[in-house]
Amino acid sequence: MMPLRGTAVRDIFASVPTGVVALAAETASGPALLVASSFSVGVSFDPPMCAVAVQATSRTWPGLRAASRIGVSVLGTSQAAVIDALASRDSTDRFRHVERHVTEEGAVLLAGAALWLECEIAASHDAGDHEIVLLRVHAAAETADVEPVVLHRRAYNRPQLLR
């Protein structure tokens, strides 16, 4: 065991495989999107809830936070090549790489995702350099033939299916 300091924290946490999600919505200044890899489903089944950790320094989050509904797209393996562009700090046109659908409530869902959730913020909590956001899920849909992309040791991989 070793103390976690500096970049060692990121190195250790990167050894845990995780899915990658895009949170997106129509906001007062137009469509907004951020990418997160700290995402968890099944926080609650009744009501259905999920959670995401958002960097406190995000310039996109304040606009998304004000949206009435937020779309959560669990990105699919075909989207691995565009994740870095979606997550870019240059937010001028993050959507140019993907098709999108906007729900009646203003949630933005990305085509090619493995799972879509239409959510609203239920609660949030400061957590060091992140904010943990609990999302109430109002609607969901999945694409059975799309596998989610997995981030592991800073690389995007296809999930290994047990057969």
Side-chain angles (χ1 to χ4, degrees):
M1 299 291 288
M2 65 179 189
L4 291 179
R5 293 187 186 99
T7 60
V9 174
R10 290 179 183 267
D11 293 341
I12 292 297
F13 288 175
S15 68
V16 178
T18 184
V20 181
V21 298
L23 281 72
E26 288 291 333
T27 69
S29 58
L33 177 147
L34 68 80
V35 173
S37 59
S38 295
F39 176 74
S40 179
V41 295
V43 172
S44 170
F45 294 116
D46 187 17
M49 298 179 87
C50 58
V52 63
V54 178
Q55 286 183 340
T57 58
S58 170
R59 292 178 288 174
T60 305
W61 179 238
L64 282 173
R65 172 188 274 166
S68 61
R69 294 282 171 94
I70 297 172
V72 177
S73 299
V74 176
L75 299 179
T77 53
S78 67
Q79 296 167 314
V82 300
I83 291 173
D84 291 336
L86 292 173
S88 169
R89 289 197 179 266
D90 176 13
S91 62
T92 53
D93 191 10
R94 289 182 180 152
F95 292 99
R96 73 178 173 270
H97 300 287
V98 294
E99 293 181 37
R100 66 182 186 250
H101 167 76
V102 181
T103 70
E104 289 181 17
E105 299 290 335
V108 175
L109 305 168
L110 304 185
L115 174 70
W116 297 281
L117 304 172
E118 184 177 10
C119 303
E120 75 175 313
I121 296 172
S124 66
H125 305 280
D126 289 337
D129 60 358
H130 279 68
E131 180 178 343
I132 297 173
V133 183
L134 297 175
L135 299 169
R136 165 82 159 82
V137 180
H138 289 279
E142 67 177 322
T143 307
D145 60 339
V146 175
E147 294 179 13
V149 69
V150 174
L151 177 63
H152 185 230
R153 294 196 171 103
R154 296 189 179 91
Y156 303 115
N157 306 305
R158 295 176 55 92
Q160 300 300 315
L161 301 178
L162 299 175
R163 295 180 193 236

